[in-house]
Amino acid sequence: MTNRLKRILARHVEQGSIPGAVASLGRDLAPIAVGSAAPGGPPIRTDAIFRIQSMTKPIATVAALRLVERGALSLDEPIERWLPELADRRVLAHPAAALDDTVAARRPITLRHLLTNTAGYGIIPTPSPLQTAMDDALLMPSSAPANRGAEDWLHALTELPLAHHPGEGWRYHLSFGILGILLGRVAGLPTADVLRREVFDVVGMPDTGFRVPDAEAHRLVPAFRRTDDAFEQVEEAGAGYYTGPAPCDENHAELVSTLADYHAFARGLVDGGLLRRESVTAIATDHIDPALKTPDSFYDGFWNNIGWGYGVSVVTDGAYRGRFGWSGGYGTDFFVDPDGTVCVVLTQVEMDDRIAELLSDLQGVRDTDSVH
């Protein structure tokens, strides 16, 4: 199969951006594999297991919205009913304020705030006392897996003030750790079981979860970061954090998955197997007021023709208007186009400028480029 997607991936392998990748483009699963699982290693397999990191967010979003559709949750009900740790929040008086210079939150945090990254918890891109405190508490996101149990993580988070009043700012990432814990508390089950019941078993995702079973560990690719144009291995193939018994309560953690599994997830959204049509429309709708799309809310240029729906980014203008999707910190990405085209790309290198260039190149791929 020769197509633009495969050429893009092959070029990035040749340039040393990635050792290899697996991908599919189109309505149906059409697996391709380019390059190797590791530098100088064997060819990468299309059934390889990858650390998908922030591509967990859309999955948790769908699980939450299925609970909403059944009446177990509400988008606008205060989540302190299940997470009393989040009651009576304090908010920084201004972005650069000292940690004790706070005011009472104007409103409680809701599920809608979590799904839209507007709860008040998240990445602080600019230097401030809150950024320093988050660094000291090991709360700033990284490619490393969960470093403490969910309850300890939540306690550390709630010791800090909100960066802004719920609904009045945009800060990425940490809302979805809270969402994972919320799912477990609402259902009275470990979050892994909630995700399996609400998503994995519904569309057929047997290889997605917080852990890799011992019998399948040989399929888990190694993970790398780039140093001086070389690859430094940060997790071994078939080993590391995601194998063996869970080291802690993982309700706030991120998933591993495969090309076939994630394609099945995206197809479940397109074909209506997971959610009602109005819920899918809500996922793919920009919910962020233009006043919140400030340069200091995330990285430079993020908001150019982009909005945020529920758990995904949404293209708001241009040739790809209506496309939604998201990426993960180890060079993984997916998107869904309004015509039902699904693109999933999985690789294994920590996000840097060259991975960002690869993901940008992928956004120019269309189903009309594919040859079946």
Side-chain angles (χ1 to χ4, degrees), residues 11-332:
R11 172 165 55 82
H12 280 276
V13 170
E14 292 165 5
Q15 291 175 349
S17 304
I18 53 174
V22 301
S24 177
L25 172 68
R27 290 192 63 86
D28 300 322
L29 179 65
I32 62 172
V34 177
S36 59
I44 199 163
R45 296 169 42 162
T46 55
D47 69 344
I49 298 173
F50 293 82
R51 301 156 184 84
I52 64 169
Q53 295 201 304
S54 284
M55 282 170 61
T56 302
K57 291 174 171 63
I59 293 175
T61 293
V62 168
L65 291 176
R66 284 172 61 87
L67 296 178
V68 170
E69 289 184 349
R70 290 208 301 276
L73 259 177
S74 167
L75 282 166
D76 296 310
E77 180 180 3
I79 60 172
E80 62 195 50
R81 170 181 171 187
W82 297 278
L83 294 167
E85 299 95 328
L86 293 175
D88 303 321
R89 292 293 82 199
R90 303 291 297 180
V91 181
L92 287 179
H94 57 87
L99 296 183
D100 59 357
D101 185 4
T102 63
V103 298
R106 295 189 179 111
R107 60 191 64 85
I109 296 171
T110 66
L111 174 60
R112 192 186 302 273
H113 294 141
L114 297 184
L115 298 181
T116 57
N117 283 317
T118 59
Y121 288 117
I123 293 175
I124 307 299
T126 53
S128 67
L130 181 56
Q131 185 194 66
T132 299
M134 289 181 63
D135 278 333
D136 292 345
L138 304 179
L139 290 168
M140 289 292 276
S142 74
S143 60
N147 57 15
R148 72 186 87 176
E151 299 301 321
D152 288 344
W153 177 87
L154 183 62
H155 175 75
L157 190 65
T158 57
E159 289 291 294
L160 298 176
L162 302 182
H164 55 75
H165 293 279
E168 298 184 22
W170 196 92
R171 293 292 183 271
Y172 178 64
H173 187 67
L174 295 178
S175 289
F176 286 87
I178 298 171
L179 176 61
I181 298 170
L182 175 65
L183 291 174
R185 293 204 187 171
V186 170
L189 296 168
T191 302
D193 293 346
V194 180
L195 296 179
R196 184 150 305 281
R197 183 188 73 187
E198 299 296 336
V199 181
F200 306 153
D201 287 347
V202 177
V203 294
M205 300 173 68
D207 293 315
T208 302
F210 291 135
R211 318 299 304 157
V212 180
D214 291 345
E216 305 301 330
H218 65 284
R219 295 164 54 199
L220 178 66
V221 297
F224 301 94
R225 72 167 56 98
R226 192 184 327 281
T227 58
D228 298 326
D229 290 325
F231 292 114
E232 174 191 353
Q233 183 172 277
V234 293
E235 286 205 52
E236 298 178 24
Y241 177 88
Y242 293 96
T243 61
C248 61
D249 170 3
E250 297 181 296
N251 286 353
H252 62 322
E254 294 174 317
L255 298 164
V256 296
S257 190
T258 64
L259 178 65
D261 278 17
Y262 214 90
H263 185 275
F265 169 70
R267 279 255 60 86
L269 288 176
V270 172
D271 297 337
L274 281 167
L275 293 168
R276 298 170 187 161
R277 180 51 47 194
E278 56 266 33
S279 296
V280 178
T281 298
I283 285 174
T285 298
D286 181 16
H287 296 283
I288 308 305
D289 188 289
L292 305 188
K293 297 179 179 181
T294 59
D296 67 340
S297 63
F298 206 25
Y299 64 81
D300 185 46
F302 174 72
W303 295 112
N304 295 341
N305 295 332
I306 290 290
W308 187 263
Y310 291 157
V312 293
S313 66
V314 180
V315 180
T316 56
D317 201 6
Y320 305 107
R321 183 174 181 174
R323 172 179 289 178
F324 68 89
W326 198 233
S327 56
Y330 272 118
T332 62

Side-chain angles (χ1 to χ4, degrees), residues 324-349:
F324 68 89
W326 198 233
S327 56
Y330 272 118
T332 62
D333 191 77
F334 91 104
F335 63 73
V336 176
D337 277 337
D339 66 358
T341 296
V342 170
C343 183
V344 181
V345 176
L346 304 177
T347 184
Q348 70 275 56
V349 179

